[in-house]
């Protein structure tokens, strides 16, 4: 079975593009075609796409919304796995916000604001996804992800889905265990506090 057919057993055909120009998926609007461009809809699909790439010996690269990403005009020989618009669900339960890794950080901050939850205001203007923010411990205006993160669900290099509490994520200035061990963030839970909506705004 060829790679395209294998990928079609995991996700829908419309989620698999061939020879896709990367300039459509980077904020700098540069980049030649990727052999395959896959947009999984769930953490299990991310796991299975990566497994198939490894079995086929096909290079792969994970991206979010492509902010600050430079791609060669020659494109990418392999599979780009984009965790973004197809994985952007957010749910608020009490003082916890749980979201898929592809959601924009600004959308998570808006959801927190709508629920009168404070602590994530610093993230409202960061132009990236939640997954990328966890991976690099994103921050601005004196705040950073380690102050609000409770746990993250990651995919290991062995294909295992693990839930890791913030204490074990090794979050430091623009780095984490996720980056050092090349894990893939697929979901995260934030712990915020009730606040005054006007003050949050």
């Amino acid at each position: 079975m060829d790679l395209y057919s294998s990928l079609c057993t995991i996700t829908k055909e419309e989620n698999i593009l061939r020879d896709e120009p990367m300039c459509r998926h980077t904020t700098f609007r540069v980049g030649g075609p990727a052999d395959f461009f896959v947009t999984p809809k769930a953490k299990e699909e991310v796991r299975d796409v990566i497994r198939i790439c490894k079995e086929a010996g096909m290079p792969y690269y994970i991206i979010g919304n492509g902010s600050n990403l430079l791609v060669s005009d020659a494109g990418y020989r392999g599979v780009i796995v984009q965790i973004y618009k197809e994985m952007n669900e957010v749910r608020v339960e009490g003082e916890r916000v749980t979201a898929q890794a592809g959601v924009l950080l600004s959308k998570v901050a808006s959801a927190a604001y709508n629920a009168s939850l404070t602590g994530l205001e610093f993230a409202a203007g960061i132009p990236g996804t939640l997954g990328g923010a966890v991976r690099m411990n994103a921050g601005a205006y004196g705040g950073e992800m380690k102050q609000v993160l409770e746990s993250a669900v990651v995919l290991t290099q062995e294909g295992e889905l693990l839930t890791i509490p913030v204490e074990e994520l090794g979050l430091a200035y623009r780095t984490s265990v996720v980056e050092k061990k090349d894990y893939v963030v697929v979901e995260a839970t934030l712990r915020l506090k009730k606040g005054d909506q006007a003050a949050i705004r």
Side-chain angles (χ1 to χ4, degrees):
M1 190 183 292
D2 64 29
L3 184 66
Y4 180 78
S5 300
S6 298
L7 291 171
C8 286
T9 66
I10 293 167
T11 190
K12 294 179 180 178
E13 285 185 36
E14 59 261 35
N15 296 336
I16 308 164
L17 304 175
R18 296 201 242 196
D19 298 319
E20 176 66 6
M22 287 302 295
C23 59
R24 296 177 182 171
H25 306 283
T26 60
T27 55
F28 290 134
R29 295 292 177 251
V30 297
D35 290 342
F36 296 92
F37 187 89
V38 184
T39 52
K41 296 176 75 74
K43 57 192 174 190
E44 293 81 11
E45 288 188 8
V46 176
R47 177 194 63 202
D48 293 344
V49 166
I50 291 174
R51 174 180 53 79
I52 280 180
C53 288
K54 287 182 174 180
E55 288 173 355
M58 178 67 76
Y60 66 91
Y61 193 80
I62 310 291
I63 70 168
N65 74 330
S67 55
N68 300 332
L69 182 66
L70 286 173
V71 180
S72 166
D73 288 342
Y76 183 75
R77 304 286 70 81
V79 179
I80 296 290
V81 183
Q82 187 190 50
I83 301 176
Y84 183 28
K85 291 179 181 177
E86 296 297 324
M87 288 183 63
N88 68 353
E89 292 179 3
V90 181
R91 65 182 186 275
V92 179
E93 297 168 324
E95 296 183 347
R96 285 186 176 86
V97 179
T98 300
Q100 290 179 301
V103 68
L104 286 174
L105 214 47
S106 56
K107 182 179 175 181
V108 183
S110 291
Y113 163 74
N114 290 334
S116 297
L117 295 176
T118 185
L120 199 60
E121 292 86 343
F122 73 88
I126 296 175
T129 60
L130 179 61
V134 172
R135 180 182 170 94
M136 65 172 289
N137 186 31
Y141 309 113
E144 54 187 349
M145 291 304 294
K146 74 176 183 180
Q147 296 167 347
V148 295
L149 191 65
E150 182 172 89
S151 63
V153 180
V154 302
L155 179 66
T156 70
Q157 283 294 304
E158 293 71 44
E160 185 181 4
L161 287 165
L162 295 178
T163 299
I164 304 179
V166 65
E167 300 81 18
E168 297 174 20
L169 282 170
L171 296 172
Y173 183 75
R174 302 301 173 262
T175 190
S176 68
V177 164
V178 175
E179 182 180 43
K180 291 172 182 172
K181 295 191 175 183
D182 204 20
Y183 291 160
V184 179
V185 179
V186 291
E187 187 177 286
T189 297
L190 311 179
R191 185 68 182 264
L192 305 174
K193 294 179 180 177
K194 280 291 181 184
D196 175 72
Q197 206 170 45
I200 293 167
R201 186 176 245 330

